[in-house]
PDB file of all heavy atoms in Angstrom:
ATOM      1  N   SER A  55      15.004 110.246 -64.993  1.00 98.00           N
ATOM      2  CA  SER A  55      16.461 110.377 -65.065  1.00 98.00           C
ATOM      3  C   SER A  55      16.786 111.870 -65.016  1.00 98.00           C
ATOM      4  O   SER A  55      15.882 112.710 -65.096  1.00 98.00           O
ATOM      5  CB  SER A  55      16.958 109.760 -66.372  1.00 98.00           C
ATOM      6  OG  SER A  55      18.358 109.856 -66.451  1.00 98.00           O
ATOM      7  N   PHE A  59      22.548 114.363 -62.836  1.00 97.00           N
ATOM      8  CA  PHE A  59      23.078 113.107 -62.290  1.00 97.00           C
ATOM      9  C   PHE A  59      24.086 112.489 -63.263  1.00 97.00           C
ATOM     10  O   PHE A  59      25.177 112.088 -62.866  1.00 97.00           O
ATOM     11  CB  PHE A  59      21.958 112.094 -62.011  1.00 97.00           C
ATOM     12  CG  PHE A  59      22.500 110.739 -61.635  1.00 97.00           C
ATOM     13  CD1 PHE A  59      22.884 110.465 -60.334  1.00 97.00           C
ATOM     14  CD2 PHE A  59      22.706 109.759 -62.608  1.00 97.00           C
ATOM     15  CE1 PHE A  59      23.443 109.237 -59.998  1.00 97.00           C
ATOM     16  CE2 PHE A  59      23.268 108.524 -62.283  1.00 97.00           C
ATOM     17  CZ  PHE A  59      23.631 108.266 -60.963  1.00 97.00           C
ATOM     18  N   CYS A 158      35.310  95.112 -72.626  1.00 97.00           N
ATOM     19  CA  CYS A 158      36.002  96.399 -72.797  1.00 97.00           C
ATOM     20  C   CYS A 158      37.495  96.250 -73.026  1.00 97.00           C
ATOM     21  O   CYS A 158      38.156  97.219 -73.413  1.00 97.00           O
ATOM     22  CB  CYS A 158      35.757  97.292 -71.590  1.00 97.00           C
ATOM     23  SG  CYS A 158      34.093  97.936 -71.606  1.00 97.00           S
ATOM     24  N   ARG A 197      17.274 103.491 -66.062  1.00 97.00           N
ATOM     25  CA  ARG A 197      17.930 104.788 -65.841  1.00 97.00           C
ATOM     26  C   ARG A 197      19.313 104.644 -65.207  1.00 97.00           C
ATOM     27  O   ARG A 197      20.134 105.547 -65.287  1.00 97.00           O
ATOM     28  CB  ARG A 197      17.043 105.720 -65.010  1.00 97.00           C
ATOM     29  CG  ARG A 197      17.076 105.472 -63.536  1.00 97.00           C
ATOM     30  CD  ARG A 197      16.451 106.605 -62.768  1.00 97.00           C
ATOM     31  NE  ARG A 197      16.653 106.334 -61.341  1.00 97.00           N
ATOM     32  CZ  ARG A 197      16.592 107.245 -60.403  1.00 97.00           C
ATOM     33  NH1 ARG A 197      16.315 108.486 -60.701  1.00 97.00           N
ATOM     34  NH2 ARG A 197      16.797 106.920 -59.146  1.00 97.00           N
ATOM     35  N   ASP A 198      19.577 103.479 -64.561  1.00 96.00           N
ATOM     36  CA  ASP A 198      20.905 103.268 -63.967  1.00 96.00           C
ATOM     37  C   ASP A 198      22.012 103.178 -65.017  1.00 96.00           C
ATOM     38  O   ASP A 198      23.181 103.394 -64.709  1.00 96.00           O
ATOM     39  CB  ASP A 198      20.924 101.970 -63.135  1.00 96.00           C
ATOM     40  CG  ASP A 198      20.154 102.129 -61.832  1.00 96.00           C
ATOM     41  OD1 ASP A 198      19.868 103.284 -61.448  1.00 96.00           O
ATOM     42  OD2 ASP A 198      19.820 101.095 -61.222  1.00 96.00           O
ATOM     43  N   GLN A 263      24.878  95.806 -64.925  1.00 96.00           N
ATOM     44  CA  GLN A 263      26.060  95.917 -64.070  1.00 96.00           C
ATOM     45  C   GLN A 263      25.713  96.412 -62.674  1.00 96.00           C
ATOM     46  O   GLN A 263      24.684  97.042 -62.458  1.00 96.00           O
ATOM     47  CB  GLN A 263      27.116  96.833 -64.698  1.00 96.00           C
ATOM     48  CG  GLN A 263      26.806  98.321 -64.589  1.00 96.00           C
ATOM     49  CD  GLN A 263      27.991  99.229 -64.891  1.00 96.00           C
ATOM     50  OE1 GLN A 263      29.118  98.777 -65.029  1.00 96.00           O
ATOM     51  NE2 GLN A 263      27.732 100.514 -65.004  1.00 96.00           N
ATOM     52  N   GLY A 265      27.247  98.977 -60.931  1.00 91.00           N
ATOM     53  CA  GLY A 265      28.208 100.040 -61.251  1.00 91.00           C
ATOM     54  C   GLY A 265      29.123 100.431 -60.123  1.00 91.00           C
ATOM     55  O   GLY A 265      30.324 100.633 -60.314  1.00 91.00           O
ATOM     56  N   ARG A 266      28.556 100.530 -58.912  1.00 92.00           N
ATOM     57  CA  ARG A 266      29.357 100.963 -57.764  1.00 92.00           C
ATOM     58  C   ARG A 266      30.434  99.927 -57.416  1.00 92.00           C
ATOM     59  O   ARG A 266      31.584 100.278 -57.133  1.00 92.00           O
ATOM     60  CB  ARG A 266      28.444 101.195 -56.565  1.00 92.00           C
ATOM     61  CG  ARG A 266      28.946 102.250 -55.643  1.00 92.00           C
ATOM     62  CD  ARG A 266      27.826 103.061 -55.072  1.00 92.00           C
ATOM     63  NE  ARG A 266      27.663 104.310 -55.768  1.00 92.00           N
ATOM     64  CZ  ARG A 266      28.052 105.486 -55.278  1.00 92.00           C
ATOM     65  NH1 ARG A 266      28.675 105.547 -54.135  1.00 92.00           N
ATOM     66  NH2 ARG A 266      27.848 106.591 -55.955  1.00 92.00           N
ATOM     67  N   ASN A 303      34.347 106.167 -66.967  1.00 93.00           N
ATOM     68  CA  ASN A 303      33.869 107.086 -65.937  1.00 93.00           C
ATOM     69  C   ASN A 303      34.993 108.051 -65.571  1.00 93.00           C
ATOM     70  O   ASN A 303      36.105 107.618 -65.267  1.00 93.00           O
ATOM     71  CB  ASN A 303      33.437 106.245 -64.719  1.00 93.00           C
ATOM     72  CG  ASN A 303      32.864 107.086 -63.619  1.00 93.00           C
ATOM     73  OD1 ASN A 303      33.569 107.895 -63.029  1.00 93.00           O
ATOM     74  ND2 ASN A 303      31.584 106.909 -63.350  1.00 93.00           N
ATOM     75  N   ALA A 367      34.475  94.421 -68.141  1.00 96.00           N
ATOM     76  CA  ALA A 367      33.822  93.145 -67.839  1.00 96.00           C
ATOM     77  C   ALA A 367      34.789  91.987 -67.944  1.00 96.00           C
ATOM     78  O   ALA A 367      35.746  91.996 -68.711  1.00 96.00           O
ATOM     79  CB  ALA A 367      32.636  92.937 -68.776  1.00 96.00           C
TER      80      ALA A 367
HETATM   81  N1  CO8 B 401      19.240 109.868 -63.059  1.00 60.93           N
HETATM   82  C1  CO8 B 401      19.030 110.228 -61.759  1.00 60.93           C
HETATM   83  N2  CO8 B 401      19.346 109.413 -60.717  1.00 60.93           N
HETATM   84  C2  CO8 B 401      19.897 108.206 -61.000  1.00 60.93           C
HETATM   85  C3  CO8 B 401      20.126 107.790 -62.323  1.00 60.93           C
HETATM   86  C4  CO8 B 401      19.763 108.668 -63.383  1.00 60.93           C
HETATM   87  N3  CO8 B 401      19.951 108.334 -64.655  1.00 60.93           N
HETATM   88  N4  CO8 B 401      20.672 106.555 -62.305  1.00 60.93           N
HETATM   89  C5  CO8 B 401      20.781 106.198 -61.006  1.00 60.93           C
HETATM   90  N5  CO8 B 401      20.304 107.190 -60.214  1.00 60.93           N
HETATM   91  C6  CO8 B 401      20.230 107.192 -58.744  1.00 60.93           C
HETATM   92  C7  CO8 B 401      20.285 105.798 -58.185  1.00 60.93           C
HETATM   93  O1  CO8 B 401      18.997 105.181 -58.179  1.00 60.93           O
HETATM   94  C8  CO8 B 401      20.812 106.040 -56.795  1.00 60.93           C
HETATM   95  O2  CO8 B 401      19.757 106.469 -55.965  1.00 60.93           O
HETATM   96  P1  CO8 B 401      19.686 105.979 -54.414  1.00 60.93           P
HETATM   97  O3  CO8 B 401      20.951 106.510 -53.786  1.00 60.93           O
HETATM   98  O4  CO8 B 401      18.439 106.599 -53.925  1.00 60.93           O
HETATM   99  O5  CO8 B 401      19.669 104.486 -54.469  1.00 60.93           O
HETATM  100  C9  CO8 B 401      21.751 107.222 -56.967  1.00 60.93           C
HETATM  101  O6  CO8 B 401      21.350 107.857 -58.194  1.00 60.93           O
HETATM  102  C10 CO8 B 401      23.207 106.800 -57.052  1.00 60.93           C
HETATM  103  O7  CO8 B 401      23.329 105.694 -57.970  1.00 60.93           O
HETATM  104  P2  CO8 B 401      24.643 104.865 -58.146  1.00 60.93           P
HETATM  105  O8  CO8 B 401      25.195 104.500 -56.811  1.00 60.93           O
HETATM  106  O9  CO8 B 401      24.382 103.751 -59.107  1.00 60.93           O
HETATM  107  O10 CO8 B 401      25.561 105.980 -58.854  1.00 60.93           O
HETATM  108  P3  CO8 B 401      27.106 106.004 -59.057  1.00 60.93           P
HETATM  109  O11 CO8 B 401      27.618 107.254 -58.468  1.00 60.93           O
HETATM  110  O12 CO8 B 401      27.761 104.719 -58.665  1.00 60.93           O
HETATM  111  O13 CO8 B 401      27.230 106.146 -60.645  1.00 60.93           O
HETATM  112  C11 CO8 B 401      27.834 104.790 -62.544  1.00 60.93           C
HETATM  113  C12 CO8 B 401      26.755 105.112 -61.497  1.00 60.93           C
HETATM  114  C13 CO8 B 401      28.015 106.013 -63.411  1.00 60.93           C
HETATM  115  C14 CO8 B 401      27.325 103.622 -63.376  1.00 60.93           C
HETATM  116  C15 CO8 B 401      29.152 104.436 -61.858  1.00 60.93           C
HETATM  117  O14 CO8 B 401      28.949 103.522 -60.815  1.00 60.93           O
HETATM  118  C16 CO8 B 401      30.192 103.856 -62.802  1.00 60.93           C
HETATM  119  O15 CO8 B 401      30.544 104.438 -63.797  1.00 60.93           O
HETATM  120  N6  CO8 B 401      30.764 102.710 -62.444  1.00 60.93           N
HETATM  121  C17 CO8 B 401      31.808 102.076 -63.236  1.00 60.93           C
HETATM  122  C18 CO8 B 401      31.163 101.350 -64.347  1.00 60.93           C
HETATM  123  C19 CO8 B 401      32.152 100.716 -65.283  1.00 60.93           C
HETATM  124  O16 CO8 B 401      33.282 101.074 -65.381  1.00 60.93           O
HETATM  125  N7  CO8 B 401      31.666  99.749 -65.965  1.00 60.93           N
HETATM  126  C20 CO8 B 401      32.429  99.121 -66.964  1.00 60.93           C
HETATM  127  C21 CO8 B 401      31.418  98.645 -67.916  1.00 60.93           C
HETATM  128  S1  CO8 B 401      31.941  98.675 -69.526  1.00 60.93           S
HETATM  129  C22 CO8 B 401      32.449  97.105 -70.010  1.00 60.93           C
HETATM  130  O17 CO8 B 401      33.050  96.377 -69.325  1.00 60.93           O
HETATM  131  C23 CO8 B 401      32.024  96.694 -71.368  1.00 60.93           C
HETATM  132  C24 CO8 B 401      30.788  95.913 -71.276  1.00 60.93           C
HETATM  133  C25 CO8 B 401      30.312  95.603 -72.651  1.00 60.93           C
HETATM  134  C26 CO8 B 401      29.682  96.777 -73.367  1.00 60.93           C
HETATM  135  C27 CO8 B 401      28.201  96.783 -73.244  1.00 60.93           C
HETATM  136  C28 CO8 B 401      27.574  97.797 -74.172  1.00 60.93           C
HETATM  137  C29 CO8 B 401      26.073  97.926 -74.031  1.00 60.93           C
END
Side-chain angles (χ1 to χ4, degrees):
S55 181
F59 172 83
C158 286
R197 81 167 186 160
D198 287 345
Q263 76 166 351
R266 210 143 261 255
N303 183 295

